[in-house]
Every structure is written in structure tokens, then in C-alpha cells.
Amino acid sequence: MRALIVSDVHSNLEAFEGVIEDAQKRGGFDEIWSLGDLVGYGPDPGACVDLLRKHKNRSVAGNHDLAAVGRLSLEAFNTYAASAIHWAVAQLKEDHIKYLRDLPIRVETEDFTIVHGSPRDPVWEYVVSVAAATASFLHLGTKRCLVGHSHLPFLCKPQGQSAAFFDFPLDRPFALKNDRIIINPGSVGQPRDGDARASYALYNSKDKSVTHHRVKYDVAVTQKKMKERGLPGYLADRLPHGR
Ligand code: ZN
């Protein structure tokens, strides 16, 4: 079984299509595992929901998805994020809303726990510090965990009573072995690690490996749509910087 692991697509259809095409060229996948924040920020919320649903998928909701369907208050979002969510709500059709509303916040499959934030707080907690990672391992019921939310790709392993972060190497299968691990595939639609290319991972159950890939997409097309659709300029301007 091969899974395409995506997170934080954020209504960026060009990036999402680019990732799917790239994964298909690399041997394809049987299903998509989506770690949440399918909508928010970008110009194509409905089309991104449709594209995900075209494929067999295991998906969880992120904070932006929950806010878009009224499962979470917009008060905790900054003004740019909140105004993009307001805009997305007006674009989504009834069946998109129903799909997002029914998403779980935690899924377990193939020895992986899939959450948007962390195993301790699947909606809001960012696994970006050693303290948060250490707590995540304590709350993890499976060997492996997939998280998104920070838009930063990484691998993280327990180390003594603590935890350590590692770079997620590019284009090289990483053997999972029997180890406990937390993996962030980075963000498809709004990377924040200084690399503007869409970030994703492929899981192969046969050799129990994950591989991190980056793919270039036409950022200018996405930016143009965002401006035409009246989304905050700041959100469009940040895309080519990957910040
Ligand atoms: Zn996000």
C-alpha cells in the first residue's frame, strides 16, 4: 500500500494538483492521507475538497476546516486567516460543508495516528518544541504519528526522557523500522520553511518507508486568483517566499 501524505493544502489547487501529479510520476499511490487544513488562506476551497474526495482518502480536520464549518470560533484566528475563512464559507457548497463537518480530528491507520496538531491536542497544539514533542510521545497510542499545522517538515524521535527533531531528507526513502516517530510532511499550499515549493511525503507499507518530496508549482497563478477574489494581499505575497 502506498499513501500520499498531504497537509495544509489551504485551498491552493495549483499546489495540490502539482503534488498529485508528482506523486503519480513517482509510482503513484493507493490513497491520500490528509492531515487537515484543506481550506483557509487560498482561492480554491471547494475545488480542493472535490480533488481530495476524488481519491480514496483517510483525512482529519484542521483548525481552519473546523472554523469554516462553525465547529470552532474564529476569535482565535488572526485577521488575515479569519477573513480568508469568511470568504471560503461563502464559496463552499452544502456537500463541501457536510464533508468538512463530518471529518474526525484523529484517525489511526497502519500503525500511524493521524492528527492535524498533536496527539495531546489534535486541533491547536503545534509540535515545534522539544517539550511539545516529548508530551506528544506520552499521548501517542501508536508507534508512529503524522502531524501538520506548523507547515514545517521534520522527523522527530524520542531521545531518553525527551525528544529530538531531525531534518526530513528529500527524495530519499527513510526507513521507519520499528521506531517511534512523529513526522510532519510540511505544507502543500503554504510552506513556511523558506522553500516555496509544495511539500509532501509518500508512505510505502512494503518496505515501511516514508519519502519527502518538493514540487514546484505556478505560484503566480494562485496569487492572481487570490487577488482577483479579494483575499488579503499579505496571504498572496508570502507564497513565493515560503514564509
Ligand atoms: Zn495550516
Side-chain angles (χ1 to χ4, degrees), residues 34-205:
S34 169
L35 319 185
D37 279 4
L38 190 55
V39 303
Y41 295 137
D44 285 303
C48 287
V49 175
D50 290 336
L51 183 53
L52 176 66
R53 290 170 75 191
K54 258 205 230 158
H55 299 269
K56 185 174 175 208
N57 70 86
R58 303 295 312 262
S59 302
V60 296
N63 49 315
H64 287 251
D65 307 317
L66 295 172
V69 296
R71 284 171 66 188
L72 205 61
S73 160
L74 274 173
E75 273 167 33
F77 290 80
N78 68 49
T79 28
Y80 302 110
S83 87
I85 291 168
H86 269 301
W87 179 84
V89 173
Q91 318 303 315
L92 293 169
K93 297 194 189 119
E94 196 51 48
D95 68 310
H96 297 137
I97 303 267
K98 188 184 172 336
Y99 178 76
L100 295 174
R101 198 188 298 133
D102 291 345
L103 283 175
I105 56 169
R106 181 196 304 262
V107 156
E108 287 184 16
T109 184
E110 297 262 334
D111 252 334
F112 285 94
T113 294
I114 300 176
V115 287
H116 182 63
S118 79
R120 177 164 67 175
D121 177 355
V123 177
W124 277 116
E125 187 177 32
Y126 291 90
V127 182
V128 284
S129 65
V130 167
T134 305
S136 294
F137 281 114
L138 293 175
H139 286 80
L140 191 58
T142 56
K143 233 178 334 209
R144 307 165 186 143
C145 184
L146 295 171
V147 302
H149 198 32
S150 66
H151 301 205
L152 303 171
F154 65 73
L155 302 174
C156 180
K157 288 184 177 180
Q159 202 167 67
Q161 299 300 324
S162 177
F165 287 87
F166 302 90
D167 284 341
F168 195 169
L170 268 185
D171 302 327
R172 206 152 29 92
F174 178 86
L176 293 167
K177 302 183 195 144
N178 239 351
D179 299 344
R180 303 189 83 206
I181 191 163
I182 301 172
I183 300 165
N184 190 323
S187 167
V188 171
Q190 196 203 74
R192 292 179 192 161
D193 61 337
D195 184 336
R197 294 175 299 169
S199 185
Y200 75 97
L202 284 167
Y203 167 67
N204 188 336
S205 69

